[in-house]
Amino acid sequence: MAQYIMLRDDNAAMLSHRRGGTFRGPTAGIFGTEETLFPPPAPTIETRDLSPNDLRDASRDPSILSLARSMPTRLIEPEPLDDARDEDAVPAWGITSVGADTSPFDGSGVRVAVLDTGIDADHAAFAGVTLTRADFSGSGHQDANGHGTHCAGTIFGRDVEGTRIGVATGVTDAVIGKVLADDGRGSSEMLFNAMRWVSGQENPARVISMSLGFDFPGFAERLVTENDYPVLLATSVALEGYRMNLRMFDALMSMIRRQADFNGGTLVVAAAGNESRRQISPDFEVSASVPAAAEGVVSVGALGQGDGGLTVAPFSNTNPVVSAPGVGIISARSGGGLRSLNGTSMATPHVAGVTALWWQALAQSGVPLTARAVEARLLATAITSGFAPGTDLMDRGQGLVQAPSAAMS
């Protein structure tokens, strides 16, 4: 038997049989002469040990939308750590690059979520912010790793020691899901449970920021060392598990989009990954990893500063949707103070923060307030000017995200 995750929607069977629901919304429809009111998705995540027979039975259950074998996840580590020297970092250069320093919006009234290694709730950067926390990793709420604290600081951190670190400094309500333990490791059911928790709340977060990946090599290695699988078999099983988890992630994203008809929706922003090595060879480029590469996710590449303009960081994976500053980013250090880090993990919270500004801007403009509308503005206003000559479109995506200005709102 193996451990499997089941994504269940108890309303799915109801819809498949065209039975009426109890919720009214934009998806209400009529079959024949009798009105049928489609209910919103009601996702639940279950984790069970299943035999092959159990797996076949579960696949026939109309309420189960997706099945996936539990697999490890891992932090997208800041890369490379030894190049991120605090003395070389330029304070708030990322905030200036995305235009948050001159935007009339600060994210007030927008709820944001960070799925990472937790948060140092006592850090001065988060004074005055209501933090709703849940630990899915089993290692406690506190962030002993520091990655989640750094990312959260870039999204909504207050000024620390006279230095601005946050893009959306008006955010006062944040949801923190600890989906990775202090060693940066987790499992796919932790992530799926956290996503369901964040998006399914009565007051859902409007943007989810995550910087993690499915650990295919780690899964294959564990099958060899712990289950005595031959390498070829372990690779095959791990690959199938990877595919199943991608399909489940896509199914969960689809449910989140369906919920937008009832609550406005949530935009998911994820780091493209740090596996490229352009400093070794210009051709040493790795494509955006999952879950950033999943359908409906805004994947983010990392930018640095060069003599000729903005440059794509040598570690940043290719094919992101957008890009943002990710080199020499100063933000909150777990335990107090500030630190500088490099990575697409540092670029992602810039985009999450700008997304919060767009939610606020559209709320004040009177246009229909949905995740799709926010995403459209985010992508349409990304700029391609200011890049160093020869920057590859596939490396920078739509361009550098920009905060809403008074004229754009």
Side-chain angles (χ1 to χ4, degrees):
M1 297 178 72
Q3 189 176 69
Y4 282 85
I5 311 163
M6 294 183 289
L7 174 63
R8 186 188 297 274
D9 180 6
D10 289 331
N11 287 336
M14 179 188 303
L15 290 178
S16 67
H17 290 89
R18 296 182 175 181
R19 292 202 295 264
T22 59
F23 294 84
R24 289 184 178 271
T27 53
I30 296 177
F31 295 100
T33 59
E34 186 175 332
E35 184 180 24
T36 300
L37 306 177
F38 290 178
T44 58
I45 304 290
E46 300 176 24
T47 304
R48 295 183 185 176
D49 290 330
L50 300 179
S51 67
N53 286 336
D54 295 332
L55 194 60
R56 282 191 290 272
D57 290 341
S59 66
R60 299 187 187 103
D61 187 337
S63 70
I64 296 177
L65 302 185
S66 186
L67 285 162
R69 185 164 178 167
S70 176
M71 72 176 296
T73 56
R74 60 178 175 81
L75 181 70
I76 295 181
E77 296 280 0
E79 177 71 35
L81 280 171
D82 57 355
D83 281 358
R85 302 194 308 169
D86 291 347
E87 60 268 29
D88 294 338
V90 179
W93 84 267
I95 294 169
T96 301
S97 295
V98 300
D101 58 327
T102 58
S103 175
F105 305 100
D106 62 4
S108 295
V110 180
R111 197 178 207 201
V112 303
V114 186
L115 304 185
D116 211 290
T117 62
I119 193 171
D120 179 0
D122 298 323
H123 199 289
F126 311 120
V129 181
T130 299
L131 300 173
T132 302
R133 297 188 290 171
D135 172 33
F136 298 91
S137 70
S139 60
H141 292 291
Q142 196 62 15
D143 180 18
N145 181 286
H147 188 271
T149 296
H150 194 279
C151 290
T154 300
I155 299 173
F156 57 84
R158 277 55 180 150
D159 293 1
V160 177
E161 301 169 5
T163 298
R164 180 170 177 178
I165 63 171
V167 172
T169 55
V171 168
T172 58
D173 186 5
V175 182
I176 308 297
K178 186 171 182 179
V179 298
L180 299 167
D182 295 330
D183 62 358
R185 301 289 175 173
S187 60
S188 50
E189 71 268 17
M190 297 176 188
L191 173 61
F192 296 143
N193 273 310
M195 291 180 66
R196 184 203 61 79
W197 172 66
V198 168
S199 62
Q201 297 186 35
E202 184 176 347
N203 177 24
R206 292 310 183 189
V207 56
I208 300 175
S209 178
M210 60 175 73
S211 301
L212 49 81
F214 295 145
D215 189 6
F216 170 76
F219 190 21
E221 181 181 2
R222 189 175 72 183
L223 291 171
V224 171
T225 58
E226 296 182 10
N227 299 77
D228 294 324
Y229 279 32
V231 172
L232 182 60
L233 177 59
T235 302
S236 176
V237 171
L239 179 59
E240 178 58 21
Y242 185 83
R243 289 170 176 164
M244 294 176 77
N245 277 269
L246 174 57
R247 288 194 290 266
M248 177 166 285
F249 192 93
D250 284 340
L252 191 54
M253 286 295 300
S254 177
M255 294 182 74
I256 290 175
R257 288 193 294 273
R258 282 171 52 202
Q259 287 173 329
D261 291 330
F262 298 85
N263 62 22
T266 300
L267 195 62
V268 178
V269 180
N274 301 337
E275 289 79 26
S276 294
R277 294 292 181 270
R278 295 179 184 84
Q279 74 275 20
I280 296 176
S281 168
D283 297 326
F284 195 153
E285 294 183 328
V286 177
S287 189
S289 57
V290 177
E295 183 179 355
V297 176
V298 177
S299 57
V300 185
L303 302 175
Q305 296 174 294
D307 293 337
L310 294 172
T311 59
V312 175
F315 53 78
S316 183
N317 286 354
T318 193
N319 292 313
V321 174
V322 293
S323 50
V327 175
I329 303 303
I330 297 175
S331 189
R333 178 194 297 270
S334 188
L338 301 170
R339 70 187 300 201
S340 172
L341 290 175
N342 300 336
T344 55
S345 291
M346 286 60 255
T348 299
H350 281 87
V351 177
V354 170
T355 300
L357 304 187
W358 275 111
W359 272 103
Q360 180 192 10
L362 293 188
Q364 295 182 14
S365 70
V367 303
L369 190 58
T370 66
R372 182 173 297 179
V374 171
E375 181 180 8
R377 291 294 185 97
L378 183 72
L379 301 187
T381 56
I383 61 172
T384 57
S385 60
F387 284 83
T391 300
D392 192 338
L393 168 65
M394 302 301 288
D395 291 342
R396 62 157 171 80
Q398 295 275 89
L400 172 65
V401 296
Q402 292 293 286
S405 67
M408 291 176 182
S409 61

